[in-house]
Amino acid sequence: MNYEVPYLQDGYPVGWDNTVDWLRNLGVFLQQEDLAEKAVVQEKDKLFAFADKVKKITQGKRCVVCIGRMLMYFHPAGILETLRRLEMQVEAIILFDNYNTKERKLMVEAVSAQCQAPIIDQTAGQQLLETVDLVLTTHEITNNQDIKQIFLPMLPLVGASGEIEFMDCIYKTLCRRGEKGGIVYV
Protein backbone atom coordinates (compact mmCIF):
# COMPACT_ATOMS: atom_id res chain seq x y z
CA MET A 1 0.00 0.00 0.00
CA ASN A 2 1.38 3.40 -0.95
CA TYR A 3 0.22 6.42 1.09
CA GLU A 4 2.24 8.87 -1.04
CA VAL A 5 3.70 10.53 2.03
CA PRO A 6 7.07 12.10 1.14
CA TYR A 7 9.98 11.28 3.41
CA LEU A 8 13.75 11.50 3.52
CA GLN A 9 14.79 7.89 3.18
CA ASP A 10 18.59 7.84 3.24
CA GLY A 11 20.89 8.66 6.11
CA TYR A 12 20.50 9.85 9.65
CA PRO A 13 22.21 12.83 11.31
CA VAL A 14 24.46 10.73 13.56
CA GLY A 15 28.10 11.76 13.61
CA TRP A 16 29.44 14.87 11.92
CA ASP A 17 29.84 13.56 8.35
CA ASN A 18 26.37 12.00 8.33
CA THR A 19 24.91 15.23 9.70
CA VAL A 20 26.38 17.19 6.80
CA ASP A 21 25.02 14.66 4.31
CA TRP A 22 21.63 14.67 6.02
CA LEU A 23 21.36 18.47 5.98
CA ARG A 24 22.28 18.60 2.31
CA ASN A 25 19.83 15.81 1.41
CA LEU A 26 17.13 17.58 3.39
CA GLY A 27 17.87 20.77 1.43
CA VAL A 28 17.46 18.89 -1.86
CA PHE A 29 14.28 17.21 -0.63
CA LEU A 30 12.78 20.54 0.44
CA GLN A 31 14.24 22.37 -2.58
CA GLN A 32 16.12 24.64 -0.17
CA GLU A 33 19.73 23.78 -1.04
CA ASP A 34 21.00 27.28 -0.22
CA LEU A 35 19.40 27.23 3.20
CA ALA A 36 20.77 23.74 3.88
CA GLU A 37 24.27 24.83 2.90
CA LYS A 38 23.95 27.81 5.22
CA ALA A 39 23.01 25.42 8.04
CA VAL A 40 26.05 23.24 7.23
CA VAL A 41 28.36 26.25 7.43
CA GLN A 42 26.84 27.41 10.73
CA GLU A 43 27.14 23.96 12.28
CA LYS A 44 30.70 23.57 10.99
CA ASP A 45 31.71 26.95 12.39
CA LYS A 46 30.26 26.03 15.77
CA LEU A 47 32.00 22.64 15.76
CA PHE A 48 35.42 23.93 14.74
CA ALA A 49 35.25 26.91 17.11
CA PHE A 50 34.68 24.53 20.01
CA ALA A 51 37.51 22.24 18.87
CA ASP A 52 39.86 25.21 18.65
CA LYS A 53 38.85 26.28 22.17
CA VAL A 54 39.67 22.92 23.78
CA LYS A 55 42.82 22.09 21.79
CA LYS A 56 44.95 23.85 24.38
CA ILE A 57 44.25 20.78 26.55
CA THR A 58 43.70 18.01 23.98
CA GLN A 59 46.51 18.76 21.52
CA GLY A 60 49.27 16.17 21.70
CA LYS A 61 47.56 14.09 24.39
CA ARG A 62 48.17 10.39 23.97
CA CYS A 63 45.21 8.04 23.71
CA VAL A 64 44.27 4.49 22.87
CA VAL A 65 41.03 3.38 21.26
CA CYS A 66 39.79 -0.03 22.41
CA ILE A 67 37.18 -1.72 20.23
CA GLY A 68 35.22 -4.87 20.94
CA ARG A 69 32.05 -4.35 18.92
CA MET A 70 31.49 -5.75 15.47
CA LEU A 71 31.66 -3.32 12.56
CA MET A 72 27.91 -3.56 11.98
CA TYR A 73 27.43 -2.02 15.46
CA PHE A 74 30.36 0.35 15.67
CA HIS A 75 32.10 2.42 13.00
CA PRO A 76 35.43 3.83 14.21
CA ALA A 77 35.73 6.55 11.55
CA GLY A 78 33.83 9.22 13.48
CA ILE A 79 35.77 8.66 16.69
CA LEU A 80 39.08 8.77 14.87
CA GLU A 81 38.06 11.94 13.02
CA THR A 82 37.18 13.61 16.33
CA LEU A 83 40.59 12.68 17.74
CA ARG A 84 42.25 14.18 14.64
CA ARG A 85 40.16 17.33 15.01
CA LEU A 86 41.34 17.62 18.62
CA GLU A 87 44.93 16.91 17.48
CA MET A 88 45.30 13.99 19.85
CA GLN A 89 47.89 11.30 19.28
CA VAL A 90 46.39 7.83 18.82
CA GLU A 91 49.08 5.47 20.11
CA ALA A 92 47.25 2.28 19.12
CA ILE A 93 43.94 0.67 18.37
CA ILE A 94 43.39 -2.29 20.65
CA LEU A 95 40.99 -4.91 19.35
CA PHE A 96 39.50 -6.99 22.12
CA ASP A 97 39.69 -10.76 21.88
CA ASN A 98 35.99 -11.38 21.22
CA TYR A 99 36.21 -11.17 17.41
CA ASN A 100 35.98 -14.13 15.09
CA THR A 101 38.47 -14.14 12.21
CA LYS A 102 36.09 -12.57 9.68
CA GLU A 103 34.89 -9.79 12.01
CA ARG A 104 38.44 -9.01 13.11
CA LYS A 105 39.53 -8.67 9.48
CA LEU A 106 36.63 -6.31 8.71
CA MET A 107 37.44 -4.12 11.72
CA VAL A 108 41.15 -4.05 10.88
CA GLU A 109 40.28 -2.90 7.34
CA ALA A 110 37.91 -0.21 8.64
CA VAL A 111 40.45 1.10 11.15
CA SER A 112 43.37 0.94 8.73
CA ALA A 113 41.44 3.06 6.23
CA GLN A 114 41.10 5.81 8.85
CA CYS A 115 44.22 5.67 10.99
CA GLN A 116 47.93 4.91 10.82
CA ALA A 117 48.19 3.80 14.46
CA PRO A 118 49.19 0.18 15.04
CA ILE A 119 46.36 -2.29 15.59
CA ILE A 120 47.18 -4.62 18.46
CA ASP A 121 45.47 -7.21 20.59
CA GLN A 122 44.41 -6.96 24.20
CA THR A 123 47.48 -8.66 25.64
CA ALA A 124 49.94 -6.47 23.73
CA GLY A 125 48.00 -3.36 24.70
CA GLN A 126 47.74 -3.98 28.43
CA GLN A 127 50.87 -2.02 29.40
CA LEU A 128 50.10 0.75 26.93
CA LEU A 129 46.79 1.44 28.70
CA GLU A 130 48.71 2.58 31.77
CA THR A 131 50.93 5.06 29.91
CA VAL A 132 48.41 7.07 27.87
CA ASP A 133 46.41 10.11 28.95
CA LEU A 134 43.05 8.67 27.91
CA VAL A 135 41.41 5.42 26.83
CA LEU A 136 38.33 5.52 24.60
CA THR A 137 36.60 2.16 24.73
CA THR A 138 33.53 0.25 23.59
CA HIS A 139 33.71 -1.94 26.71
CA GLU A 140 34.48 -1.03 30.29
CA ILE A 141 37.98 -2.03 31.32
CA THR A 142 37.56 -3.24 34.88
CA ASN A 143 40.93 -4.79 35.65
CA ASN A 144 42.74 -1.46 35.87
CA GLN A 145 41.29 1.25 38.09
CA ASP A 146 44.05 3.77 37.29
CA ILE A 147 43.19 4.51 33.66
CA LYS A 148 40.89 7.33 32.56
CA GLN A 149 38.25 5.85 30.29
CA ILE A 150 35.53 7.24 28.08
CA PHE A 151 32.88 4.68 27.20
CA LEU A 152 31.96 5.07 23.53
CA PRO A 153 28.26 4.97 22.66
CA MET A 154 27.09 2.47 20.07
CA LEU A 155 25.75 5.27 17.88
CA PRO A 156 27.48 8.62 17.47
CA LEU A 157 25.66 11.57 18.94
CA VAL A 158 23.51 13.66 16.61
CA GLY A 159 24.72 16.76 14.79
CA ALA A 160 27.35 19.31 15.64
CA SER A 161 25.89 19.58 19.14
CA GLY A 162 26.42 15.86 19.70
CA GLU A 163 29.98 16.08 18.39
CA ILE A 164 30.64 19.07 20.67
CA GLU A 165 29.23 17.12 23.62
CA PHE A 166 31.64 14.27 22.85
CA MET A 167 34.62 16.64 22.51
CA ASP A 168 33.61 18.34 25.77
CA CYS A 169 33.59 14.95 27.49
CA ILE A 170 37.16 14.32 26.26
CA TYR A 171 38.22 17.82 27.32
CA LYS A 172 36.73 17.56 30.82
CA THR A 173 38.19 14.10 31.36
CA LEU A 174 41.66 15.34 30.39
CA CYS A 175 41.24 18.36 32.69
CA ARG A 176 41.02 16.05 35.69
CA ARG A 177 44.74 16.39 36.33
CA GLY A 178 46.19 14.35 39.12
CA GLU A 179 43.10 12.16 39.28
CA LYS A 180 43.55 8.59 38.23
CA GLY A 181 41.00 6.21 36.89
CA GLY A 182 37.33 6.35 36.39
CA ILE A 183 34.99 5.93 33.49
CA VAL A 184 32.88 8.60 31.83
CA TYR A 185 29.82 7.75 29.77
CA VAL A 186 29.10 10.02 26.81
Side-chain angles (χ1 to χ4, degrees):
M1 184 172 259
N2 183 351
Y3 295 103
E4 297 186 24
V5 176
Y7 64 95
L8 188 63
Q9 69 185 30
D10 292 328
Y12 298 96
V14 292
W16 173 243
D17 290 335
N18 288 333
T19 297
V20 170
D21 292 342
W22 184 83
L23 284 169
R24 288 181 175 145
N25 289 338
L26 184 61
V28 169
F29 179 77
L30 297 173
Q31 298 176 350
Q32 297 283 328
E33 289 95 342
D34 292 344
L35 192 57
E37 200 56 42
K38 192 182 218 181
V40 167
V41 169
Q42 288 173 340
E43 292 296 290
K44 183 179 179 182
D45 289 349
K46 188 168 49 171
L47 177 69
F48 283 82
F50 186 84
D52 288 342
K53 182 176 108 176
V54 300
K55 273 193 244 182
K56 64 183 179 282
I57 295 294
T58 63
Q59 189 174 42
K61 292 293 192 267
R62 298 171 60 242
C63 67
V64 170
V65 179
C66 299
I67 306 171
R69 293 187 190 127
M70 293 186 297
L71 191 58
M72 69 185 293
Y73 299 115
F74 181 78
H75 295 277
I79 301 299
L80 296 170
E81 180 60 33
T82 299
L83 296 173
R84 276 190 294 278
R85 190 174 294 115
L86 295 174
E87 298 180 10
M88 294 181 70
Q89 183 177 334
V90 179
E91 295 291 320
I93 306 294
I94 298 174
L95 295 185
F96 290 133
D97 297 336
N98 57 324
Y99 288 103
N100 64 34
T101 304
K102 179 183 174 189
E103 286 298 329
R104 183 178 189 78
K105 182 177 185 262
L106 289 171
M107 186 57 78
V108 166
E109 289 171 0
V111 169
S112 296
Q114 299 294 323
C115 183
Q116 299 300 313
I119 301 169
I120 59 178
D121 66 23
Q122 218 168 301
T123 305
Q126 191 61 40
Q127 278 188 309
L128 184 58
L129 293 176
E130 297 172 17
T131 67
V132 295
D133 299 301
L134 186 64
V135 175
L136 295 100
T137 181
T138 61
H139 293 69
E140 295 173 355
I141 300 170
T142 58
N143 63 343
N144 188 330
Q145 301 303 315
D146 291 337
I147 60 176
K148 290 182 183 177
Q149 300 177 60
I150 293 181
F151 185 81
L152 298 170
M154 196 170 293
L155 288 175
L157 302 175
V158 176
S161 297
E163 181 74 7
I164 287 169
E165 183 179 335
F166 179 52
M167 289 190 296
D168 191 46
C169 183
I170 292 171
Y171 168 75
K172 287 178 179 173
T173 303
L174 289 171
C175 284
R176 293 181 10 230
R177 291 191 176 109
E179 290 182 42
K180 287 191 172 195
I183 187 162
V184 176
Y185 298 88
V186 179

